[in-house]
Amino acid sequence: MLKWFSVPAKPRQPNNINFPTRMYGGKKLCFQPRWYELFNWLDYDIESDTVFCYICKCAEASGHLTSHHTETAFTKTGYCKWKQALEKKKGFTRHQSSEAHKTAVLRLITAPATSRDLAVLIDDNVIQQQTNNRKMFMKIVRSVQHLLSRGLALRGEWQPEKGEEDNNLLSLLKFSCFGKDQPDIEAW
């Protein structure tokens, strides 16, 4: 579950407003709403006339991405260099290909979409087998504790006529597991 803090529920992407202009080398430039189509993670802040990376902000706010792995221009201060916004090695493209952004996408979008609850993935038979194994293991532990508290050996000796070993631990386990509600020790 994500903790949103000051991150909106979805990216703010206003279209029908007059975006403020900024001067760059004698040219007036402003944010272009068509950029939302190219970079759907853009989150425009009207008050500061800057954009943020919605995915990185969410990842940082929820603890999926630490602040020293993020680009502060896209998570804290806001990006507003409109002249460089679409340049290949600068602006939005550079951010989209950055390790910080890729990590945020992986942790917030890709991994949750491909991961399912383990209980759903594990077959019911496997769950039943694990439960039986856990019960049997605990019976073995309790039996060993019982024999040791009485000063009895765990092992016995080989009985050639029976073709098996006669030992205290196995005898105690067979005795304690006798009943309809208990899994059979020999099958285990």
Side-chain angles (χ1 to χ4, degrees), residues 125-136:
N125 293 332
V126 173
I127 293 171
Q128 184 62 42
Q129 183 65 42
Q130 287 176 342
T131 303
N132 289 343
N133 289 347
R134 195 171 291 113
K135 285 180 184 177
M136 290 307 302

Side-chain angles (χ1 to χ4, degrees), residues 41-114:
W41 45 263
L42 287 175
D43 179 40
Y44 182 81
D45 182 50
I46 295 173
E47 291 178 21
S48 63
D49 184 37
T50 59
V51 292
F52 297 90
C53 174
Y54 177 73
I55 297 168
C56 291
K57 268 183 96 166
C58 290
E60 184 180 31
S62 64
H64 287 90
L65 199 62
T66 57
S67 60
H68 67 275
H69 285 110
T70 61
E71 294 181 85
T72 56
F74 286 95
T75 58
K76 299 245 188 268
T77 58
Y79 184 86
C80 61
K81 297 178 182 176
W82 308 136
K83 184 177 181 178
Q84 299 173 352
L86 297 180
E87 290 183 22
K88 287 192 177 194
K89 295 187 180 184
K90 297 180 181 180
F92 303 151
T93 307
R94 185 186 61 73
H95 174 71
Q96 187 165 287
S97 60
S98 72
E99 285 303 312
H101 184 77
K102 289 177 184 177
T103 301
V105 168
L106 177 69
R107 292 182 181 170
L108 283 183
I109 299 169
T110 309
T114 58

Side-chain angles (χ1 to χ4, degrees), residues 108-124:
L108 283 183
I109 299 169
T110 309
T114 58
S115 301
R116 285 181 260 160
D117 188 9
L118 287 179
V120 173
L121 296 176
I122 298 175
D123 186 45
D124 287 338

Side-chain angles (χ1 to χ4, degrees), residues 34-46:
R34 63 183 167 85
W35 293 341
Y36 298 139
E37 295 170 21
L38 300 171
F39 306 98
N40 63 354
W41 45 263
L42 287 175
D43 179 40
Y44 182 81
D45 182 50
I46 295 173

